[in-house]
Amino acid sequence: MGRSPCCDKVGLKKGPWTPEEDQKLLTYIQEHGHGSWRALPPKAGLQRCGKSCRLRWTNYLRPDIKRGKFSLQEEQTIIQLHALLGNRWSAIASHLPKRTDNEIKNYWNTHLKKRLMKMGIDPMTHKPKNHALGSGQPKDTANLSHMAQWESARLEAEARIVRENKLASSSIYSKLLKATTTARPPQPRPPCLDILKVWQGAWTKPRKDTTTKTVNGFFATKGNLESPTSILNFSENMVPTPNVGLIQENSLVRDISYLGNPIGKNNDDQVKGTMENSVQFHDIIDPTSFITYAADSLGVPSFLEGYTDFAPNTSSASAATGPADDVFEDNKISYWSNILNVVNSPIDSTVF
DNA sequence: AAGATTTACAACCGCAGATTG
DNA sequence: CCAATCTGCGGTTGTAAATCT
């Protein structure tokens, strides 16, 4: 395979693009389309290689790109999809239509990965690090272990269904499926502990007077983990969201019903049996089901019971924020109900 | 105030699959 | 079928801006 010399050619400019270059590229593509990227630069009057032009266009100049802060929902989507897909940024980006893979990759590396590590969660495996279970409470450890076990089993079943239905539909989901099943050798998929609950617990927990200043209009704290975006968006998303428009709602409720089996009892037969049931019940092909959990409309799904004490209190983040907040001791049920409402908010919303 | 350090992100590099002749 | 080229992708780097000391 011959490789093109690209930017090694003498006389081609590298480095940051100037506004003039941007304008030339933009104008040319608007008038002619990009066509062959290699042929484009001379036609557009640019001293750049085609590859550089393509990257500039796809990552910056394209009109359908959303820039700026990532919303909490976007963060959740990235985290869940990363747990599912690993570093397949283009596949993840396909689920965030107005974000580029480059932007998501950068955001992961500079924000999300570090935050997960601070929370004691391994960003590659999405499992809690043992030392970060922190409080040393055996109950917490057991809970996390069980949750990971269940989550892993659930995702395996979902992934199988996805594979079986990969020819179906021409929607964005089939596009995602294609991206995740072709092109590159399959990467070992890390089991997805449902860290979003921990995530939200860590970032949205009401704070006491640790706020010391504001940065860009957001609260910031000293000595605490910070998530200005999360703080802002949580308050917006705390409005209870009805489970409308979730075509997989019934399926997921059934899913949760199996998750609702007595996890803490660690009954292998129950695990096996309920998993089989869940696969039989499954009638969905939509991989977004990985990132939406339908809450029981009556309140808190039973599977969360018994876990309400682990989320906000066991991470290093909680260690940094001090003693458990009374709100979470007294209102665990409403807390989790709110969490699920947030998580369950439709992804394909106007936010994107 | 100034230098050092950290953070954030645009851009580049090179590999690999897809396409083309 | 093969080789050349194109394109997409993920990893990495360079550097401006922000923050710290």
Side-chain angles (χ1 to χ4, degrees):
Chain A
M1 298 267 184
R3 288 199 65 237
S4 53
C6 192
C7 300
D8 293 341
K9 280 182 179 174
V10 180
L12 292 186
K13 189 182 171 189
K14 293 167 70 175
W17 281 64
T18 64
E20 291 75 23
E21 289 177 311
D22 281 345
Q23 191 56 49
K24 282 182 181 177
L25 181 58
L26 201 55
T27 302
Y28 181 85
I29 292 178
Q30 282 172 346
E31 290 179 3
H32 306 95
H34 60 73
S36 166
W37 285 111
R38 170 162 290 205
L40 183 149
K43 292 179 185 173
L46 290 164
Q47 296 293 107
R48 296 269 183 175
C49 68
K51 190 173 185 175
S52 180
C53 293
R54 176 171 57 83
L55 283 171
R56 185 63 179 172
W57 171 256
T58 56
N59 288 334
Y60 198 84
L61 294 177
R62 233 173 52 198
D64 58 335
I65 290 176
K66 174 187 175 185
R67 309 193 67 80
K69 279 188 169 298
F70 280 72
S71 69
L72 177 58
Q73 282 190 334
E74 287 175 306
E75 290 182 356
Q76 291 169 355
T77 302
I78 293 168
I79 291 167
Q80 280 280 28
L81 288 174
H82 185 271
L84 179 67
L85 302 170
N87 291 354
R88 296 186 208 168
W89 305 116
S90 63
I92 294 172
S94 71
H95 219 72
L96 297 166
K98 294 185 178 180
R99 299 289 190 180
T100 68
D101 54 355
N102 203 42
E103 192 178 15
I104 292 169
K105 176 175 61 181
N106 282 331
Y107 192 69
W108 172 266
N109 286 328
T110 58
H111 294 88
L112 301 182
K113 195 161 105 177
K114 291 175 183 174
R115 280 197 232 160
L116 286 176
M117 287 193 291
K118 283 182 181 177
M119 292 165 63
I121 294 166
D122 185 331
M124 296 315 293
T125 64
H126 292 251
K127 287 180 177 177
K129 296 173 184 172
N130 287 336
H131 67 81
L133 295 175
S135 56
Q137 297 171 11
K139 182 182 175 184
D140 294 336
T141 306
N143 284 344
L144 285 170
S145 174
H146 286 128
M147 284 192 76
Q149 186 179 359
W150 278 102
E151 191 72 13
S152 178
R154 185 179 67 83
L155 288 178
E156 284 298 327
E158 298 249 20
R160 197 166 77 204
I161 291 161
V162 167
R163 283 195 298 273
E164 290 170 359
N165 289 281
K166 63 183 177 184
L167 294 179
S169 95
S170 58
S171 67
I172 185 172
Y173 304 127
S174 65
K175 188 180 171 188
L176 173 63
L177 285 179
K178 179 175 182 294
T180 58
T181 55
T182 61
R184 290 173 182 272
Q187 300 174 5
R189 186 167 60 79
C192 171
L193 176 68
D194 196 3
I195 59 171
L196 291 187
K197 298 174 183 65
V198 183
W199 179 262
Q200 291 182 320
W203 299 128
T204 60
K205 181 179 176 179
R207 290 152 201 272
K208 295 180 180 175
D209 283 333
T210 52
T211 302
T212 58
K213 59 180 177 179
T214 59
V215 179
N216 295 332
F218 298 102
F219 289 112
T221 59
K222 256 186 179 169
N224 279 343
L225 299 170
E226 299 170 8
S227 180
T229 306
S230 297
I231 292 167
L232 178 66
N233 285 284
F234 187 73
S235 61
E236 294 168 351
N237 289 326
M238 282 299 287
V239 178
T241 308
N243 289 330
V244 295
L246 291 174
I247 59 171
Q248 70 274 36
E249 177 180 355
N250 291 338
S251 302
L252 285 171
V253 168
R254 284 194 293 269
D255 253 3
I256 284 180
S257 73
Y258 85 67
L259 284 168
N261 278 288
I263 297 166
K265 293 178 182 175
N266 195 23
N267 183 324
D268 287 346
D269 289 335
Q270 277 183 323
V271 172
K272 185 170 179 288
T274 51
M275 278 307 302
E276 287 170 357
N277 287 341
S278 79
V279 172
Q280 289 169 357
F281 281 137
H282 250 298
D283 55 0
I284 61 170
I285 59 170
D286 180 358
T288 57
S289 63
F290 291 122
I291 52 179
T292 56
Y293 292 90
D296 186 330
S297 59
L298 296 175
V300 181
S302 57
F303 82 95
L304 287 175
E305 292 174 6
Y307 293 91
T308 52
D309 56 345
F310 108 84
N313 299 333
T314 57
S315 69
S316 58
S318 68
T321 54
D325 199 311
D326 289 344
V327 170
F328 292 92
E329 291 300 323
D330 300 339
N331 300 290
K332 290 173 180 177
I333 291 178
S334 61
Y335 168 77
W336 282 108
S337 182
N338 286 332
I339 290 293
L340 285 172
N341 278 328
V342 173
V343 175
N344 198 35
S345 298
I347 292 168
D348 188 20
S349 67
T350 55
V351 173
F352 303 138

